[in-house]
Amino acid sequence: MPACIHELFVEFIVSVYHRHHHTYMHAFGIGLTGLVVALGYLMKQKNHHISLPLQLLLPRRFGITDSSFYVCGPALKDIKGKSPSLKFERRKKNTRPGILVRQLHIEEQLLRTSSENWCIINDGTNDPTIVMGFSGKPAELLEIESVLHDQVPVIRRFTGGGTVIVDHQTIFVTFICNKETVPDLQPYPRPIMSWSSSLYSKVFGGIGDFHLRENDYVFGNHKFGGNAQSITKNKWIHHTSFLWDFDVRNMAYLKLPKLAPAYRSARGHLDFICRLKDYMPRSTFIDKTVEAAGTQFSLRSLELEAVVTCSETEFRPSTRFLTNEELAAAAAAVSEQQLGLP
Amino acid sequence: MALRIWASSTANALKLSCASKPHLSLSRCFSTVLDGLKYAESHEWVKHEGSVATIGITDHAQDHLGEVVFVELPEPGGSVSKGKGFGAVESVKATSDVNSPISGEIIEVNTKLSEAPGLINKSPYEDGWMIKVKPSSPTELESLMGSKEYTKFCEEEDASH
């Protein structure tokens, strides 16, 4: 059972509440809108099919009376070092709640501990957040001085791949599958990447010359979707951050990566990426993604109470924030190296 | 690398295969399997010499994963359990667990992999070794596959996809 899924929905409700009552998006900690769709698995056996329907989790209304919001459960331990519990904790205004970290924690936990197949679609996070891959080196990938000055959160995630800066305009889509789920699919990076592109080809249906270019989703030769994966003994995860829109100023926090796809041809960020919103309405994209998933999987709906639980678990996710001290140390190490200091 | 991916995808799409070669790529049509090693279904190999067992991932695995850019290894002194993960390799966009074929105490790790993770691609059975272990249950080796059995396993795995 996934822990803290309902946490996403609590924060979804808070987000909806705040968006209707406040003009400025950044005045409060804005909840992450989450739509969790459980992906059914159609397994063909000799003479019969076993299929799990799509589990659509609907957010419930909570009696939110002020600008604070509630978080719960094991994720707290990772952020604040407290013991996990089933209690709710009240957060102050304007704190960064680590929503994206908690999403990644949930994904990692589902990958490691759930026997189900999942599709998770999250409709953006709050503040701009930098998300580095498993082995990302801050000094190589980030303009650390600016990041520290502007206090941009930096996350190291559990999947491979490069660095992105995401915000409320980003759409995240994640597939978590058992290795046997997709017939004839070898659980390795390239086949999974190819499978994903075939699914999204159904979403875009030829719009904008969509295709998979090396490991990116592109329109023509402009990237709008970045992919990352993690493969375990029995499951794999493939998640994508789609650039629905972006603030060009945020790109200034990222350096040009050393490890870049050949088709990038040393282009700067703004010449390399494009906006999904120029090709498809947001709701259409999400609807079509669910529809495309439905062509390969059996989907069913679930009551929130059936899956929501917030329980102690021995699972410890690896995704985490990098501290200011770590970032500063990384910057200092590079400076020393450049000065020829030991 | 991109051309190799294209060739592999095209070959898969066209269902091309070599009769005696389970994997088609521009560089070669088969993965190397060495005699004298034991193999796990999760594509790790074990070389047992006296009281020490050396572990790494196979040529089949490195070929399917792609260019390895980072390797996460445990510390010496820790332990590994048969079938459980002890580290990970990152290949461009994916992290992949590496599982230990046997149980035991880690006595050495290949520190060269931190600076040269590509050794796993270039020399998966020699310079690309990952950990050395003192086996706690030598009988576990008996349940692993030999070279012929593993070759057949890889052929069947590739043919079924």
Side-chain angles (χ1 to χ4, degrees):
Chain A
M1 292 291 242
C4 300
I5 294 289
H6 80 284
E7 177 185 356
L8 284 174
F9 291 96
V10 170
E11 291 170 347
F12 163 79
I13 290 300
V14 174
S15 169
V16 170
Y17 175 84
H18 284 305
R19 287 177 196 221
H20 284 300
H21 287 77
H22 302 280
T23 305
Y24 301 105
M25 303 283 279
H26 298 291
F28 304 94
I30 296 173
L32 174 67
T33 302
L35 174 64
V36 179
V37 174
L39 203 63
Y41 166 52
L42 182 65
M43 178 165 49
K44 287 187 180 179
Q45 295 197 335
K46 253 190 178 176
N47 296 310
H48 63 275
H49 296 278
I50 298 175
S51 66
L52 301 174
L54 164 69
Q55 304 179 11
L56 178 61
L57 303 176
L58 300 175
R60 297 287 296 264
R61 287 199 166 276
F62 289 85
I64 306 296
T65 57
D66 58 27
S67 58
S68 59
F69 59 93
Y70 296 85
V71 297
C72 168
L76 284 176
K77 178 168 185 175
D78 304 298
I79 297 169
K80 301 184 86 172
K82 294 181 181 177
S83 298
S85 69
L86 291 171
K87 62 186 177 185
F88 286 88
E89 175 176 316
R90 190 164 163 161
R91 292 276 183 119
K92 292 180 183 177
K93 282 192 213 183
N94 298 323
T95 57
R96 291 203 174 97
I99 294 165
L100 188 52
V101 163
R102 285 201 288 276
Q103 173 192 339
L104 290 166
H105 284 175
I106 288 167
E107 290 185 3
E108 196 175 352
Q109 182 162 1
L110 291 176
L111 175 71
R112 294 279 174 194
T113 65
S114 170
S115 59
E116 307 282 344
N117 302 297
W118 296 88
C119 174
I120 303 171
I121 302 175
N122 279 324
D123 201 7
T125 182
N126 50 352
D127 297 325
T129 303
I130 293 168
V131 188
M132 295 197 308
F134 184 67
S135 64
K137 295 186 173 71
E140 291 180 7
L141 298 165
L142 310 179
E143 299 291 353
I144 295 182
E145 205 174 302
S146 301
V147 169
L148 286 171
H149 180 270
D150 296 344
Q151 285 292 288
V152 182
V154 179
I155 294 171
R156 185 191 300 288
R157 64 178 188 267
F158 66 101
T159 51
T163 304
V164 292
I165 180 159
V166 299
D167 59 18
H168 64 282
Q169 301 177 106
T170 313
I171 304 174
F172 304 94
V173 182
T174 300
F175 288 94
I176 303 172
C177 291
N178 292 301
K179 283 191 170 177
E180 302 80 21
T181 292
V182 180
D184 301 326
L185 178 65
Q186 277 202 319
Y188 291 110
R190 286 171 296 205
I192 295 170
M193 197 72 73
S194 294
W195 169 82
S196 74
S197 77
S198 69
L199 186 140
Y200 286 108
S201 292
K202 294 178 184 148
V203 174
F204 296 109
I207 291 173
D209 186 24
F210 164 78
H211 54 280
L212 177 70
R213 186 98 185 245
E214 295 185 46
N215 296 302
D216 299 332
Y217 297 141
V218 299
F219 290 124
N221 70 342
H222 291 91
K223 175 179 177 177
F224 71 96
N227 296 299
Q229 301 169 339
S230 185
I231 302 169
T232 68
K233 199 171 173 185
N234 300 309
K235 294 177 80 80
W236 53 262
I237 180 171
H238 178 97
H239 58 194
T240 309
S241 56
F242 288 96
L243 286 172
W244 168 257
D245 195 358
F246 55 84
D247 188 336
V248 297
R249 292 172 296 180
N250 289 339
M251 297 302 147
Y253 294 116
L254 306 181
K255 289 183 176 175
L256 281 180
K258 284 182 188 174
L259 199 65
Y263 82 96
R264 180 164 185 159
S265 302
R267 286 177 283 164
H269 295 302
L270 300 181
D271 290 329
F272 177 53
I273 57 180
C274 66
R275 295 172 166 85
L276 175 54
K277 75 170 191 178
D278 294 336
Y279 295 86
M280 185 176 277
R282 195 177 182 102
S283 57
T284 302
F285 169 71
I286 292 174
D287 290 345
K288 282 186 166 291
T289 298
V290 174
E291 187 183 319
T295 65
Q296 296 197 37
F297 300 93
S298 172
L299 314 177
R300 80 176 179 195
S301 47
L302 252 199
E303 290 301 318
L304 182 65
E305 289 80 6
V307 292
V308 166
T309 181
C310 199
S311 59
E312 293 196 13
T313 173
E314 291 185 2
F315 176 74
R316 294 291 175 258
S318 60
T319 297
R320 64 180 185 87
F321 283 110
L322 297 190
T323 64
N324 286 345
E325 289 73 24
E326 285 175 302
L327 293 172
V334 169
S335 297
E336 287 170 4
Q337 197 175 32
Q338 289 169 346
L339 292 171
L341 296 172
Chain B
M1 187 69 187
L3 192 56
R4 185 177 179 185
I5 292 170
W6 171 84
S8 182
S9 298
T10 305
N12 289 335
L14 296 174
K15 306 281 184 217
L16 293 177
S17 65
C18 303
S20 60
K21 300 167 185 176
H23 177 80
L24 178 64
S25 73
L26 281 186
S27 57
R28 54 186 171 203
C29 287
F30 60 91
S31 298
T32 305
V33 179
L34 297 188
D35 290 333
L37 304 186
K38 300 291 263 183
Y39 299 88
E41 289 187 357
S42 48
H43 301 287
E44 293 88 10
W45 56 266
V46 184
K47 186 176 184 180
H48 191 204
E49 295 172 303
S51 62
V52 176
T54 307
I55 295 169
I57 66 170
T58 65
D59 189 39
H60 179 276
Q62 70 78 21
D63 189 49
H64 280 64
L65 288 174
E67 181 189 356
V68 176
V69 298
F70 181 78
V71 183
E72 183 186 62
L73 292 173
E75 295 290 324
S79 63
V80 291
S81 299
K82 180 181 170 67
K84 304 288 184 191
F86 67 81
V89 294
E90 184 180 355
S91 52
V92 188
K93 291 290 182 180
T95 57
S96 300
D97 285 358
V98 184
N99 303 292
S100 182
I102 58 171
S103 307
E105 180 193 349
I106 302 168
I107 57 175
E108 191 179 348
V109 301
N110 188 352
T111 53
K112 288 184 185 172
L113 294 179
S114 61
E115 293 300 319
L119 287 174
I120 288 182
N121 298 115
K122 291 175 199 162
S123 180
Y125 297 112
E126 292 178 9
D127 296 336
W129 67 273
M130 297 179 78
I131 59 173
K132 291 186 193 282
V133 168
K134 186 176 172 185
S136 57
S137 301
T139 54
E140 287 177 338
L141 287 160
E142 295 167 17
S143 64
L144 299 173
M145 292 181 276
S147 57
K148 286 183 183 171
E149 198 181 347
Y150 178 66
T151 300
K152 188 179 174 194
F153 176 80
C154 290
E155 287 174 356
E156 289 173 352
E157 190 178 83
D158 284 338
S160 66
H161 294 94

